[in-house]
Amino acid sequence: MKILTIILAALLSASTLCAQDSFTVPQLTPEQEKEVLYNHVYAYFAAGLSMAKEKGVSPEAYGKYIGEQFKVFWDPESGFPFFVNQIMFILQGVNPYSEMKIVEQNEKMIRFTMSNMNKLFIQGPAYGISYNEFLACSDGLLKTVANHMKTNFSYKDTDGLYEVTLTAK
């Protein structure tokens, strides 16, 4: 009986090993890499916001909390041009499907627009949050960091066209 059990175990092990598929490392195109990053940035942001909402924290307050965590990485002495360039770089990076256009600028102010900011929300709420909640959270985050950087931040949104104004204090 022992020999029969050993033979049966050996046959099952061999058949399992032979039937197993081999795995390969995925090779992503630059477009696929961009899509994965874009979706993950929004998913992580939205998941945190959803959890905050469940705990009774408003989108604005959660955004301010994130801003408080992020602002320690920003040096106010870097100046307004540094801050503007970095924020534009970050915003373009987190939404690579947006077309950014500078509408107006001088040494103390810049206004730019970004299209398709509502891309994930066209069909309705995404990851448990609405587009307006996303905007409110982003506003809390960006105002907190901007204030730390001696800058005023404001935005308006018209059907996914996101207009940002940054003004040096």
Side-chain angles (χ1 to χ4, degrees):
M1 188 67 176
K2 275 186 175 180
I3 292 178
L4 184 59
T5 302
I6 292 172
I7 292 173
L8 185 59
L11 286 174
L12 284 173
S13 295
S15 67
T16 301
L17 290 174
C18 290
Q20 188 177 36
D21 290 332
S22 62
F23 298 101
T24 60
V25 175
Q27 300 298 312
L28 301 177
T29 66
E31 186 65 26
Q32 289 170 321
E33 288 174 351
K34 184 167 55 171
E35 183 71 22
V36 168
L37 179 60
Y38 171 75
N39 286 325
H40 277 79
V41 166
Y42 275 97
Y44 290 137
F45 184 83
L49 178 52
S50 289
M51 184 176 147
K53 283 176 32 183
E54 286 178 13
K55 301 209 177 284
V57 177
S58 72
E60 296 86 354
Y62 181 63
K64 288 177 185 176
Y65 171 80
I66 297 170
E68 289 293 327
Q69 305 309 304
F70 286 2
K71 78 180 189 182
V72 299
F73 299 102
W74 292 86
D75 179 8
E77 300 308 313
S78 298
F80 181 70
F82 172 81
F83 180 66
V84 167
N85 286 323
Q86 290 300 306
I87 287 298
M88 290 176 70
F89 180 81
I90 290 166
L91 289 175
Q92 185 64 44
V94 299
N95 190 351
Y97 303 103
S98 175
E99 182 180 341
M100 183 181 283
K101 291 182 184 176
I102 296 174
V103 176
E104 181 182 357
Q105 66 177 315
N106 61 47
E107 63 279 347
K108 296 206 177 259
M109 186 276 296
I110 186 164
R111 181 172 294 116
F112 61 91
T113 59
M114 297 180 69
S115 61
N116 300 319
M117 287 301 284
N118 61 350
K119 182 180 188 306
L120 285 180
F121 301 94
I122 291 172
Q123 302 298 320
Y127 303 107
I129 65 168
S130 70
Y131 182 53
N132 286 335
E133 290 169 324
F134 167 77
L135 290 175
C137 186
S138 297
D139 184 54
L141 187 165
L142 291 167
K143 276 185 177 168
T144 301
V145 175
N147 187 55
H148 174 73
M149 293 298 289
K150 304 173 189 170
T151 301
N152 290 316
F153 167 86
S154 65
Y155 83 94
K156 70 178 183 177
D157 182 84
T158 308
D159 298 324
L161 182 66
Y162 186 67
E163 182 180 280
V164 172
T165 303
L166 297 169
T167 310
K169 289 184 178 182

